[in-house]
PDB file of all heavy atoms in Angstrom:
ATOM      1  N   ARG A 318       0.547   6.305  33.835  1.00 88.00           N
ATOM      2  CA  ARG A 318       0.069   7.464  33.023  1.00 88.00           C
ATOM      3  C   ARG A 318      -1.177   7.995  33.605  1.00 88.00           C
ATOM      4  O   ARG A 318      -1.332   9.290  33.704  1.00 88.00           O
ATOM      5  CB  ARG A 318      -0.115   7.037  31.599  1.00 88.00           C
ATOM      6  CG  ARG A 318      -0.455   8.081  30.651  1.00 88.00           C
ATOM      7  CD  ARG A 318       0.688   9.068  30.455  1.00 88.00           C
ATOM      8  NE  ARG A 318       0.232  10.127  29.572  1.00 88.00           N
ATOM      9  CZ  ARG A 318       0.758  11.293  29.473  1.00 88.00           C
ATOM     10  NH1 ARG A 318       1.805  11.630  30.212  1.00 88.00           N
ATOM     11  NH2 ARG A 318       0.255  12.224  28.676  1.00 88.00           N
ATOM     12  N   LEU A 319      -2.104   7.227  34.028  1.00 91.00           N
ATOM     13  CA  LEU A 319      -3.388   7.706  34.570  1.00 91.00           C
ATOM     14  C   LEU A 319      -3.194   8.401  35.904  1.00 91.00           C
ATOM     15  O   LEU A 319      -3.735   9.457  36.163  1.00 91.00           O
ATOM     16  CB  LEU A 319      -4.361   6.540  34.787  1.00 91.00           C
ATOM     17  CG  LEU A 319      -5.765   6.873  35.266  1.00 91.00           C
ATOM     18  CD1 LEU A 319      -6.472   7.742  34.253  1.00 91.00           C
ATOM     19  CD2 LEU A 319      -6.594   5.635  35.407  1.00 91.00           C
ATOM     20  N   THR A 320      -2.240   7.865  36.710  1.00 94.00           N
ATOM     21  CA  THR A 320      -1.935   8.554  37.944  1.00 94.00           C
ATOM     22  C   THR A 320      -1.280   9.949  37.722  1.00 94.00           C
ATOM     23  O   THR A 320      -1.607  10.944  38.323  1.00 94.00           O
ATOM     24  CB  THR A 320      -0.936   7.738  38.793  1.00 94.00           C
ATOM     25  OG1 THR A 320      -1.554   6.461  39.088  1.00 94.00           O
ATOM     26  CG2 THR A 320      -0.432   8.414  40.082  1.00 94.00           C
ATOM     27  N   GLY A 321      -0.468   9.983  36.676  1.00 91.00           N
ATOM     28  CA  GLY A 321       0.163  11.292  36.325  1.00 91.00           C
ATOM     29  C   GLY A 321      -0.880  12.271  35.870  1.00 91.00           C
ATOM     30  O   GLY A 321      -0.793  13.458  36.234  1.00 91.00           O
ATOM     31  N   LEU A 322      -1.854  11.829  35.078  1.00 91.00           N
ATOM     32  CA  LEU A 322      -2.951  12.752  34.673  1.00 91.00           C
ATOM     33  C   LEU A 322      -3.763  13.194  35.836  1.00 91.00           C
ATOM     34  O   LEU A 322      -4.158  14.402  35.901  1.00 91.00           O
ATOM     35  CB  LEU A 322      -3.847  12.026  33.595  1.00 91.00           C
ATOM     36  CG  LEU A 322      -3.230  11.808  32.270  1.00 91.00           C
ATOM     37  CD1 LEU A 322      -4.102  10.946  31.393  1.00 91.00           C
ATOM     38  CD2 LEU A 322      -2.978  13.185  31.559  1.00 91.00           C
ATOM     39  N   ASP A 323      -4.046  12.317  36.735  1.00 95.00           N
ATOM     40  CA  ASP A 323      -4.801  12.668  37.988  1.00 95.00           C
ATOM     41  C   ASP A 323      -4.070  13.729  38.769  1.00 95.00           C
ATOM     42  O   ASP A 323      -4.654  14.703  39.328  1.00 95.00           O
ATOM     43  CB  ASP A 323      -5.055  11.468  38.868  1.00 95.00           C
ATOM     44  CG  ASP A 323      -6.099  10.513  38.269  1.00 95.00           C
ATOM     45  OD1 ASP A 323      -6.943  10.961  37.440  1.00 95.00           O
ATOM     46  OD2 ASP A 323      -6.137   9.352  38.656  1.00 95.00           O
ATOM     47  N   GLU A 324      -2.723  13.612  38.859  1.00 97.00           N
ATOM     48  CA  GLU A 324      -1.957  14.591  39.571  1.00 97.00           C
ATOM     49  C   GLU A 324      -1.969  15.950  38.873  1.00 97.00           C
ATOM     50  O   GLU A 324      -2.067  17.006  39.486  1.00 97.00           O
ATOM     51  CB  GLU A 324      -0.506  14.051  39.749  1.00 97.00           C
ATOM     52  CG  GLU A 324      -0.375  12.943  40.658  1.00 97.00           C
ATOM     53  CD  GLU A 324       0.985  12.259  40.592  1.00 97.00           C
ATOM     54  OE1 GLU A 324       1.862  12.636  39.786  1.00 97.00           O
ATOM     55  OE2 GLU A 324       1.196  11.289  41.436  1.00 97.00           O
ATOM     56  N   GLN A 325      -1.853  15.903  37.585  1.00 96.00           N
ATOM     57  CA  GLN A 325      -1.954  17.170  36.718  1.00 96.00           C
ATOM     58  C   GLN A 325      -3.307  17.830  36.964  1.00 96.00           C
ATOM     59  O   GLN A 325      -3.422  19.045  37.078  1.00 96.00           O
ATOM     60  CB  GLN A 325      -1.763  16.889  35.272  1.00 96.00           C
ATOM     61  CG  GLN A 325      -0.270  16.562  34.926  1.00 96.00           C
ATOM     62  CD  GLN A 325      -0.110  16.261  33.473  1.00 96.00           C
ATOM     63  OE1 GLN A 325      -0.988  15.596  32.857  1.00 96.00           O
ATOM     64  NE2 GLN A 325       0.864  16.800  32.851  1.00 96.00           N
ATOM     65  N   LEU A 326      -4.402  17.039  36.944  1.00 97.00           N
ATOM     66  CA  LEU A 326      -5.744  17.635  37.178  1.00 97.00           C
ATOM     67  C   LEU A 326      -5.843  18.228  38.544  1.00 97.00           C
ATOM     68  O   LEU A 326      -6.432  19.333  38.728  1.00 97.00           O
ATOM     69  CB  LEU A 326      -6.775  16.512  37.013  1.00 97.00           C
ATOM     70  CG  LEU A 326      -7.072  16.043  35.623  1.00 97.00           C
ATOM     71  CD1 LEU A 326      -7.954  14.769  35.576  1.00 97.00           C
ATOM     72  CD2 LEU A 326      -7.729  17.172  34.825  1.00 97.00           C
ATOM     73  N   ALA A 327      -5.270  17.620  39.577  1.00 97.00           N
ATOM     74  CA  ALA A 327      -5.323  18.194  40.916  1.00 97.00           C
ATOM     75  C   ALA A 327      -4.576  19.481  40.957  1.00 97.00           C
ATOM     76  O   ALA A 327      -5.022  20.471  41.600  1.00 97.00           O
ATOM     77  CB  ALA A 327      -4.757  17.167  41.947  1.00 97.00           C
ATOM     78  N   GLU A 328      -3.439  19.567  40.344  1.00 98.00           N
ATOM     79  CA  GLU A 328      -2.661  20.786  40.286  1.00 98.00           C
ATOM     80  C   GLU A 328      -3.369  21.909  39.579  1.00 98.00           C
ATOM     81  O   GLU A 328      -3.385  23.013  39.995  1.00 98.00           O
ATOM     82  CB  GLU A 328      -1.277  20.526  39.601  1.00 98.00           C
ATOM     83  CG  GLU A 328      -0.328  19.692  40.460  1.00 98.00           C
ATOM     84  CD  GLU A 328       0.959  19.273  39.669  1.00 98.00           C
ATOM     85  OE1 GLU A 328       1.245  19.821  38.601  1.00 98.00           O
ATOM     86  OE2 GLU A 328       1.659  18.403  40.191  1.00 98.00           O
ATOM     87  N   LEU A 329      -4.031  21.502  38.433  1.00 97.00           N
ATOM     88  CA  LEU A 329      -4.771  22.525  37.746  1.00 97.00           C
ATOM     89  C   LEU A 329      -5.950  23.008  38.541  1.00 97.00           C
ATOM     90  O   LEU A 329      -6.250  24.195  38.557  1.00 97.00           O
ATOM     91  CB  LEU A 329      -5.285  21.929  36.386  1.00 97.00           C
ATOM     92  CG  LEU A 329      -4.247  21.834  35.268  1.00 97.00           C
ATOM     93  CD1 LEU A 329      -4.860  21.085  34.106  1.00 97.00           C
ATOM     94  CD2 LEU A 329      -3.834  23.246  34.787  1.00 97.00           C
ATOM     95  N   GLN A 330      -6.631  22.151  39.258  1.00 98.00           N
ATOM     96  CA  GLN A 330      -7.728  22.507  40.125  1.00 98.00           C
ATOM     97  C   GLN A 330      -7.276  23.514  41.215  1.00 98.00           C
ATOM     98  O   GLN A 330      -7.934  24.543  41.513  1.00 98.00           O
ATOM     99  CB  GLN A 330      -8.419  21.304  40.765  1.00 98.00           C
ATOM    100  CG  GLN A 330      -9.690  21.669  41.487  1.00 98.00           C
ATOM    101  CD  GLN A 330     -10.725  22.269  40.697  1.00 98.00           C
ATOM    102  OE1 GLN A 330     -10.924  21.995  39.459  1.00 98.00           O
ATOM    103  NE2 GLN A 330     -11.588  23.138  41.241  1.00 98.00           N
TER     104      GLN A 330
END
Side-chain angles (χ1 to χ4, degrees):
R318 184 70 183 156
L319 186 59
T320 298
L322 287 172
D323 287 340
E324 290 168 358
Q325 287 178 318
L326 285 169
E328 289 172 12
L329 283 172
Q330 186 62 31

